[in-house]
Amino acid sequence: MCNLAPMLNWDDLRIFVAVADTGSLTAASRRLGVDHATVGRRLASLEAELGVRLVDRLPKGTPLTDVGAEFAELARSMADAAERLQRRARDASTSLSGTVTISAPPVLASHFIAGSLGSLRERYPGLAVSLSGDVGLVSLEQRQADIAVRLVRPDHLSHIARAIGAVHLGLYAAPLMAAMPPTDWTFIGYDAALAHVPHHHWFERYAGDRAVVMRSSDVNSQIAAARSGLGVAMLPRFMAAPDPELVPVDPDATPPVRTIWLVTHADIRKSPAVRAVADHLITLFAKAPAFAPD
């Protein structure tokens, strides 16, 4: 049985758990947001401290050794306990200060939430916000975010979720494309990163046999391509409707509506700082007619 010495570096343990979970230094570096060399260096430091080899460094990954697998279970337990302690401490805090991390889809983060943070700062001068535009789902358990704004309803038992609005989609194109017969339309679709979402499937059925001439998961790129006359794109109405270079097409089409969920971890939902930011987001979306639910 491995014994975890009290002098072990917590950051080294956190990095090792990420390597154990992902199976490679590269994947661990992406998960933690640090460079590949740092992950390798900290892992080597931990192995030197313990005097054992934890992973096999192979060309296509870093599988755990037998000792590494045993150590990983112990390290995960320690990491889970430390994260619970941090969340409980955050929940017990009565201070409206510090940094609250928000994860949101890139379009909502950059085109809606970011512009509202000045008023939040005026109301709570001691608060700072870290706003991350994430395509994927970050882990609230691992404190990758304090608040997540998501377009998918969470099913984790420790998550507290509230519907705060909806993203309405429509079909838009440049005027010249819109003036063509619908049988001649070309389309700007989504790439494989969003192939699992309901509106992707709706769009593919709508396009049918007509050509999809560009695919992208980046809405800004889709808008730029639609403006150029490349094709018809399915876009968030709150962005496309005010755009003078785009016009709606086939207004009777009904793409799926995406519900917006605000999600926090149960352990920190009562933290005054987290609550203040969550209330700000709830009010922000409630006051915006473009995000009103059907």
Side-chain angles (χ1 to χ4, degrees):
M1 176 69 68
C2 293
N3 293 316
L4 300 185
M7 73 288 294
L8 291 181
N9 186 295
W10 279 102
D11 285 337
D12 290 349
L13 286 175
R14 182 172 63 92
I15 285 175
F16 169 65
V17 168
V19 172
D21 288 346
T22 62
S24 77
L25 303 185
T26 300
S29 69
R30 286 197 299 267
R31 171 169 157 176
L32 297 171
V34 300
D35 63 79
H36 181 280
T38 297
V39 172
R41 183 173 65 253
R42 300 301 287 268
L43 179 59
S45 172
L46 180 60
E47 289 179 319
E49 184 73 32
L50 293 169
V52 296
R53 183 165 50 85
L54 299 173
V55 302
D56 289 323
R57 290 164 174 79
L58 302 178
K60 294 185 178 180
T62 51
L64 297 172
T65 63
D66 290 342
V67 173
E70 180 184 7
F71 189 85
E73 290 303 312
L74 296 172
R76 287 189 185 100
S77 298
M78 293 181 69
D80 289 344
E83 287 160 5
R84 286 197 299 272
L85 284 171
Q86 289 174 332
R87 290 196 297 268
R88 290 298 186 188
R90 187 74 178 274
D91 189 38
S93 171
T94 59
S95 174
L96 266 171
S97 62
T99 299
V100 175
T101 302
I102 305 170
S103 169
V107 167
L108 294 179
S110 60
H111 291 275
F112 187 63
I113 296 173
S116 76
L117 297 181
S119 63
L120 178 67
R121 173 71 176 176
E122 289 178 4
R123 188 172 182 183
Y124 303 110
L127 274 181
V129 170
S130 175
L131 178 61
S132 176
D134 297 298
V135 175
L137 301 183
V138 302
S139 172
L140 299 181
E141 287 67 42
Q142 297 174 6
R143 295 205 60 206
Q144 294 174 344
D146 299 309
I147 297 171
V149 177
R150 294 178 176 171
L151 299 180
V152 177
R153 184 170 189 168
D155 56 7
H156 201 289
L157 293 178
S158 65
H159 291 176
I160 306 299
R162 173 173 176 168
I164 59 172
V167 174
H168 301 274
L169 302 168
L171 299 172
Y172 292 87
L176 287 177
M177 175 64 64
M180 294 180 182
T183 54
D184 295 340
W185 287 348
T186 55
F187 290 87
I188 300 163
Y190 296 90
D191 62 22
L194 292 178
H196 62 287
V197 297
H199 58 284
H200 166 82
H201 299 296
W202 183 93
F203 186 76
E204 293 293 311
R205 290 194 299 270
Y206 183 87
D209 295 333
R210 292 171 290 185
V212 178
V213 295
M214 173 184 163
R215 294 186 181 276
S216 175
S217 294
D218 176 36
V219 174
N220 292 307
S221 297
Q222 290 183 335
I223 289 176
R227 286 172 180 158
S228 76
L230 184 62
V232 174
M234 183 172 62
L235 302 170
R237 290 180 183 171
F238 84 94
M239 294 177 67
D243 194 315
E245 298 181 63
L246 297 174
V247 297
V249 301
D250 195 357
D252 293 330
T254 56
V257 175
R258 308 296 308 281
T259 300
I260 303 170
W261 298 92
L262 185 140
V263 189
T264 57
H265 195 285
D267 287 347
I268 65 169
R269 70 188 187 281
K270 295 179 182 178
S271 161
V274 172
R275 185 70 262 167
V277 176
D279 286 344
H280 170 78
L281 293 173
I282 291 167
T283 301
L284 177 68
F285 281 93
K287 288 184 175 180
F291 295 102
D294 283 340

